[in-house]
Amino acid sequence: MAQARNIEDLRFAARRRLPRIVYEYVDGGAEEGRTLRANREAFEAIRFAPRMLVDVSRRSQATRLLGRPFAAPFGIAPLGAAGLCWRDAEVALARAACAAGLPFALSTHSFVPLEEVARRGGAAPWFQLYLPRERDAAAALVRRALEAGCEALMLTVDVPVGGNREHDRRNGFGLPLRLGARTVLDGLAHPRWLAGVYLRSIVGRDLRDWTLRRDRADWSDFAWLRDAWPRKLLVKGVLTVEDAELAARHGADGIVVSNHGGRQLDGALASLEALPAIVAAVGERLSVLVDGGFRRGADIVKALALGADFVLLGRAVLYGVAASGEAGARQALEILKSEVDRVMALLGCNSVAELGPQYLRWKSGSDPKLQNQERSGSDPDFPSSVDEVVRDRVVHQLRV
Ligand SMILES: Cc1cc2nc3c(=O)[nH]c(=O)nc-3n(C[C@H](O)[C@H](O)[C@H](O)COP(=O)(O)O)c2cc1C
């Protein structure tokens, strides 16, 4: 994998290594893929306004989140069933994150038990929680996370039911993964995966407790969790100011602005579109993380300049794992670190704290403010500052 120069190269390698049933589970979105695409397109609507002749020789992308220092302003999002891509993928992800000085959130749906990831991963991961229906089962998971030393718990709230991923249904995808008649040839065409992943770690795995029912959960469950969990608590899957306010009111330490990588409600707005108004509303009270569609360092820098405190990476790192395990995950993180560093230098920016809307402009024609007002007297080719647009959106939110 030494020749992978960017995340798209790793994606290509993952596609070659994985059978179609697994690749599409990782890469795909819900229904038409509208939100999956929107996550990427949102970055296209924003351009950089770099400053020149700024001494950037001492620049740093190190930052702090939830009271801890991190080497870069991003970490790894929870990825359920990552073990379909690589044997003990969760350990590979944890080790790569630890080596890079970054956080890793372990999914409830991990093939490797939390305690083993904490032991072999170099540090205890954050733990992502899907609330089981029974309080006792939820309390048991919370207790395990406490005992394993997890510093943060992340409650995912955007899966009251599973998203409609038609490619998975078409492929006969299910857990535990069974290679049916239609997919067995595909498996045979990927012998390294078949021997190294399927036969060694998927066959015979008991995943019965993954069939959790979550459609009854509401904010009273979150209030219970707040009482049960004394450390940092995040809500993952927030897309509106209203829910961000509720998270703050219920004592969350942070939120993840996220649409689950376009895998849940197709047609939901892009994470980047939702971000500015949420930052304006709760940014002073909560840590605001964001995920969805981040494939370049430039994407990460744009989100930080829009006010996010931190970015989480999903598929970008999972492609690396699928391509070559821990080495591939490390490579994905290295690629993004070096891209962030270069973009900051080219912007004339020395630190994450300095990043702000002064470095951004809306691409001509995509500025929502310009689209909604009379253009007479203004030059449509001259993009306005994102700052103004964000202010306008917030004023609009407050009026509603
Ligand atoms: C294969 C896969 C499995 C996922 N499993 C979980 C999960 O178990 N829990 C969760 O909160 N989010 C899960 N997500 C969503 C990610 O945490 C994250 O929100 C999303 O991947 C971000 O979008 P990106 O992949 O475009 O970076 C999963 C995403 C993928 C691609």
Side-chain angles (χ1 to χ4, degrees):
M1 274 327 300
Q3 67 274 33
R5 290 190 179 82
N6 53 42
I7 299 300
E8 190 58 29
D9 287 348
L10 291 174
R11 181 185 186 207
F12 184 74
R15 184 174 202 147
R16 285 188 22 188
R17 203 172 179 288
L18 296 175
R20 182 183 171 140
I21 188 172
V22 177
Y23 180 75
E24 291 193 349
Y25 162 71
V26 168
D27 195 63
E31 295 183 353
E32 308 289 324
R34 291 188 187 95
T35 299
L36 186 71
R37 283 193 302 280
N39 277 345
R40 293 291 307 135
E41 285 163 8
F43 295 111
E44 303 300 324
I46 296 174
R47 298 249 163 110
F48 288 120
R51 299 300 309 274
M52 304 300 151
L53 287 179
V54 178
D55 176 356
V56 287
S57 57
R58 283 184 293 277
R59 67 191 175 279
S60 162
Q61 60 181 295
T63 191
R64 295 185 71 82
L65 181 75
L66 303 170
R68 291 279 173 203
F70 293 108
F74 54 85
I76 304 179
L79 295 160
L84 293 176
C85 297
W86 194 266
R87 183 162 186 250
D88 294 354
E90 294 87 356
V91 175
L93 287 163
R95 292 176 59 88
C98 184
L102 303 175
F104 161 59
L106 182 73
S107 168
T108 301
H109 291 171
S110 167
F111 283 11
V112 183
L114 165 62
E115 294 75 9
E116 189 179 335
V117 175
R119 184 163 40 80
R120 294 171 57 201
W126 294 351
F127 187 63
Q128 175 266 327
L129 185 67
Y130 282 130
L131 263 187
R133 187 181 7 193
E134 307 301 335
R135 275 279 156 84
D136 285 355
L141 277 175
V142 168
R143 211 166 31 246
R144 281 178 61 194
L146 267 176
E147 283 167 11
C150 303
E151 288 188 358
L153 194 69
M154 183 183 275
L155 179 70
T156 296
V157 293
D158 55 8
V159 189
V161 297
N164 184 17
R165 300 173 206 159
E166 290 169 358
H167 49 85
D168 284 348
R169 299 224 306 267
R170 203 176 304 121
N171 292 335
F173 179 91
L175 289 171
L177 193 70
R178 288 199 181 84
L179 295 187
R182 269 184 305 154
T183 48
V184 80
L185 282 179
D186 199 14
L188 288 172
H190 296 84
R192 280 188 307 170
W193 177 85
L194 196 65
V197 184
Y198 185 74
L199 293 177
R200 287 180 69 191
S201 66
I202 297 178
V203 170
R205 188 173 289 276
D206 181 4
L207 300 169
R208 269 172 307 183
D209 62 347
W210 282 23
T211 50
L212 310 171
R213 263 202 58 187
R214 310 174 190 110
D215 59 355
R216 271 198 340 206
D218 63 19
W219 284 102
S220 70
D221 292 287
F222 185 79
W224 168 82
L225 190 61
R226 179 65 287 184
D227 280 345
W229 179 258
R231 302 181 193 147
K232 302 295 183 188
L233 184 58
L234 305 170
V235 184
K236 175 172 182 282
V238 171
L239 286 174
T240 61
V241 167
E242 290 82 350
D243 283 342
E245 287 286 1
L246 280 166
R249 217 174 300 153
H250 284 83
D253 296 290
I255 52 173
V256 185
V257 176
S258 171
N259 49 40
H260 216 100
R263 299 163 73 82
Q264 285 298 108
L265 175 63
D266 193 32
L269 73 170
S271 307
L272 206 71
E273 289 171 332
L275 180 67
I278 290 176
V279 167
V282 300
E284 299 285 313
R285 286 172 282 160
L286 297 180
S287 293
V288 179
L289 295 77
V290 62
D291 73 19
F294 289 83
R295 303 289 182 269
R296 285 279 185 188
D299 305 336
I300 294 169
V301 172
K302 283 177 184 173
L304 298 173
L306 283 176
D309 295 302
F310 211 75
V311 167
L312 295 180
L313 307 165
R315 296 178 185 88
V317 187
L318 198 51
Y319 296 141
V321 171
S324 58
E326 182 184 335
R330 282 182 189 235
Q331 195 170 10
L333 297 173
E334 268 315 308
I335 286 170
L336 290 168
K337 247 189 199 173
S338 99
E339 287 181 354
V340 167
D341 178 69
R342 189 185 304 270
V343 171
M344 284 178 65
L346 292 171
L347 275 182
C349 180
N350 274 302
S351 69
V352 168
E354 280 171 39
L355 280 172
Q358 72 275 19
Y359 290 108
L360 304 180
R361 301 288 186 275
W362 292 98
K363 185 176 148 190
S364 180
S366 55
D367 175 346
K369 180 164 155 265
L370 288 181
Q371 280 163 11
N372 293 336
Q373 75 178 23
E374 284 220 25
R375 289 178 179 225
S376 60
S378 69
D379 176 354
D381 287 332
F382 188 81
S384 69
S385 144
V386 172
D387 219 1
E388 286 170 46
V389 177
V390 171
R391 248 194 331 264
D392 270 25
R393 282 189 179 176
V394 174
V395 169
H396 176 71
Q397 288 271 4
L398 291 176
R399 275 203 211 107
V400 172

